[in-house]
């Protein structure tokens, strides 16, 4: 194996001869950024740079919801006309296209999503009851399965061991 050649002077040889004109000067140099790197642009600032001006959305939330509800009331022929238009907002064309695809596939998920957004999701309530549907007196008791670990308990009725069936102290 050949020995690696070791240079006497490590580093950039142009720095030693003055050939690197872009090197920082000792002491104060106005090219040094003492406050750290500049902040990164946000996605909105990048978009405003591309567009060449301030980006302000024209549609407010309530107006967007009204447009979505209006789209749900259109016939498929009217939706096909809306899709061909080039002067509408992209979300209108996109939702009209999604509604048409849902009609073609006989799927109601898009309509459910639009109505959930427009009217809010329906609330659901969870109630713990006994097998007859009555509210259990004394609260809720939850038994966790033992997954075959430990002793073999009863398989029907109350499967909890007697040690767990003691009433709680008041």
């Amino acid at each position: 194996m050949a020995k690696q050649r070791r240079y006497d002077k490590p580093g950039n040889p142009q720095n030693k001869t003055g050939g690197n004109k872009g090197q920082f000067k000792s002491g104060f140099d106005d090219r040094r950024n003492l406050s750290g790197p500049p902040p990164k642009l946000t996605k909105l600032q990048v978009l405003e740079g591309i567009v060449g001006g301030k980006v302000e959305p024209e549609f407010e939330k309530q107006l967007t919801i009204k447009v979505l509800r209006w789209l749900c009331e259109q016939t498929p022929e009217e939706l096909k006309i809306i899709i061909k238009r080039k002067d509408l907002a992209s979300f209108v064309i996109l939702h009209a296209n999604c509604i048409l695809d849902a009609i073609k596939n006989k799927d109601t998920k898009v309509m459910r999503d639009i109505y959930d957004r427009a009217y809010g999701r329906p609330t659901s309530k969870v109630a713990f009851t006994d097998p007859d549907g009555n509210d259990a007196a004394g609260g809720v008791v939850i038994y966790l399965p033992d997954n075959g670990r430990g002793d073999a308990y009863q398989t029907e009725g109350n499967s909890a061991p007697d040690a767990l069936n003691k009433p709680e102290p008041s």
Side-chain angles (χ1 to χ4, degrees):
M1 182 170 170
K3 290 186 177 180
Q4 292 184 354
R5 185 175 173 190
R6 183 168 164 93
Y7 295 102
D8 294 335
K9 299 178 182 177
N12 188 349
Q14 290 183 347
N15 288 346
K16 311 246 184 298
T17 61
N20 188 359
K21 302 294 184 199
Q23 137 183 29
F24 285 117
K25 301 173 191 145
S26 60
F28 178 76
D29 192 342
D30 57 350
R31 294 174 296 157
R32 260 192 204 106
N33 189 354
L34 299 176
S35 61
K40 292 185 177 181
L41 296 175
T42 63
K43 292 180 181 180
L44 181 61
Q45 290 171 331
V46 170
L47 182 62
E48 287 174 346
I50 293 170
V51 174
K54 188 91 173 136
V55 175
E56 288 292 331
E58 191 170 326
F59 289 107
E60 296 295 327
K61 181 179 179 182
Q62 292 302 320
L63 184 59
T64 304
I65 290 172
K66 283 183 181 179
V67 170
L68 290 175
R69 287 173 40 203
W70 178 80
L71 282 173
C72 292
E73 297 171 0
Q74 301 307 305
T75 64
E77 289 75 25
E78 292 170 331
L79 291 172
K80 289 176 186 174
I81 294 170
I82 290 171
I83 289 173
K84 293 176 184 173
R85 303 261 321 245
K86 302 293 181 197
D87 58 343
L88 293 175
S90 59
F91 90 95
V92 175
I93 297 170
L94 176 71
H95 279 285
N97 202 0
C98 288
I99 292 171
L100 278 177
D101 287 344
I103 291 170
K104 186 173 78 174
N105 297 332
K106 298 178 182 175
D107 184 20
T108 59
K109 184 179 182 315
V110 173
M111 299 300 272
R112 206 172 336 135
D113 291 344
I114 290 174
Y115 278 108
D116 283 350
R117 186 173 296 146
Y119 298 106
R121 286 196 172 150
T123 58
S124 61
K125 186 176 179 183
V126 176
F128 294 101
T129 59
D130 62 6
D132 298 329
N134 300 323
D135 188 16
V140 177
V141 178
I142 299 174
Y143 296 113
L144 300 175
D146 67 351
N147 296 327
R149 297 183 301 259
D151 299 330
Y153 302 120
Q154 298 172 344
T155 56
E156 290 189 22
N158 186 357
S159 62
D162 291 334
L164 297 177
N165 283 330
K166 294 179 183 175
E168 292 187 28
S170 10

